[in-house]
Amino acid sequence: MNIIKMNNEDIIGQAAAVVFAAQVIKKPASVLGFATGSTPLLTYEAMVAMQDAGIVSFDEIITFNLDEYLGLNSEHPQSYYNFMQRNLFLPLGLQKENIHLPNGVNPDPIAECAHYDAEIQKAGGIDLQILGIGENGHIAFNEPADTFTQGTTVMTLTPSTISANRRFFDREDDVPRQALTMGIATIMAARQIVLIATGINKAQAVHDMIKGPISPKVPASILQMHPAITVFLDSAAASML
Ligand code: PGA
């Protein structure tokens, strides 16, 4: 793990955006894995600013998101499809056919998971994946469990994740209880990973990810085995290392 501590989240967002820009300069039609949540927003802002300034063009990228809520269609304001459109895809002007998220309203979610993995394979695998980390050590929606997940799967969210996601919904009852998520093996197959963690509420999870034993109880701990991962931390998130 290449661990980089930086003073604040703005600088981290810019640094992570540079990693994405470098990837796209090397390979314009890169397959990029994106994440939702608060953590990657500054990275996305910086990517858009770099494109607007003419430094790089993300025109040709192919995207795969980590996850989508089960039962929310793409038009739902809190669907991850909608989140990505608002925060990255529309500002970058991406073509719809190059964007992939699991379909949360496929009546056969198991078939949807298999289809999603097949689409990733067909695209040649993910070149660069961005990740956040949950307070409980989850990556994507891979919650602490007795075994590591493999491919894309249907996951029941833990109470800790439901309460962390509560802020985006009017009522706690509105937070979906299940999601379709890339599995751990899918994530580990990405050729390069950037993980960002900021804030004191992530300090324990960051400690357990980096210093703890590799265990499905802390899904992010498997990333110790990834050959090309850069972890960007602010001082609060790094405070228990
Ligand atoms: P956050 O979520 O970026 O909103 O903190 C990260 C995660 O749960 O993976």
Side-chain angles (χ1 to χ4, degrees), residues 37-39 132-134 138 167 202:
S38 306
T39 304
I133 182 170
H138 74 201
R167 67 192 194 277
K202 300 293 174 70

Side-chain angles (χ1 to χ4, degrees), residues 71-83 86 169 174:
L72 297 197
N73 67 33
S74 57
E75 306 302 321
H76 190 285
Q78 296 311 334
S79 75
Y80 285 167
Y81 183 90
N82 209 306
F83 176 101
R86 279 195 313 274
F169 292 84
D174 295 339

Side-chain angles (χ1 to χ4, degrees), residues 9-21 34 39-58 87-88 91-92 130 196:
E9 55 184 6
D10 287 320
I11 300 172
I12 292 176
Q14 285 172 27
V18 168
V19 178
F20 275 91
F34 288 119
T39 304
L41 284 174
L42 290 166
T43 304
Y44 297 161
E45 230 174 74
M47 287 170 67
V48 172
M50 286 174 100
Q51 176 166 288
D52 289 348
I55 296 166
V56 63
S57 166
F58 291 100
N87 292 298
L88 189 66
L92 287 181
I130 189 166
I196 299 175

Side-chain angles (χ1 to χ4, degrees), residues 76-124:
H76 190 285
Q78 296 311 334
S79 75
Y80 285 167
Y81 183 90
N82 209 306
F83 176 101
M84 291 307 300
Q85 284 286 1
R86 279 195 313 274
N87 292 298
L88 189 66
F89 299 157
L90 288 174
L92 287 181
L94 299 190
Q95 303 295 318
K96 275 202 164 145
E97 62 267 25
N98 291 336
I99 293 169
H100 305 84
L101 285 91
N103 175 3
V105 292
N106 185 330
D108 186 346
I110 307 286
E112 177 61 26
C113 291
H115 170 73
Y116 199 62
D117 281 330
E119 289 288 301
I120 295 171
Q121 288 299 323
K122 209 166 80 188

Side-chain angles (χ1 to χ4, degrees), residues 155-227:
M155 184 65 62
T156 297
L157 308 184
T158 59
S160 138
T161 299
I162 291 167
S163 92
N165 292 356
R166 161 76 182 82
R167 67 192 194 277
F168 298 112
F169 292 84
D170 291 338
R171 298 175 310 135
E172 176 143 348
D173 280 354
D174 295 339
V175 185
R177 274 18 188 192
Q178 288 185 300
L180 306 179
T181 180
M182 272 190 208
I184 291 292
T186 320
I187 294 170
M188 287 297 282
R191 286 183 272 281
Q192 190 186 350
I193 295 177
V194 167
L195 183 144
I196 299 175
T198 58
I200 193 70
N201 58 330
K202 300 293 174 70
Q204 182 71 53
V206 165
H207 169 274
D208 295 349
M209 165 177 74
I210 294 172
K211 301 267 194 205
I214 296 173
S215 158
K217 304 276 184 221
V218 181
S221 62
I222 192 74
L223 296 170
Q224 292 175 30
M225 301 301 291
H226 194 278

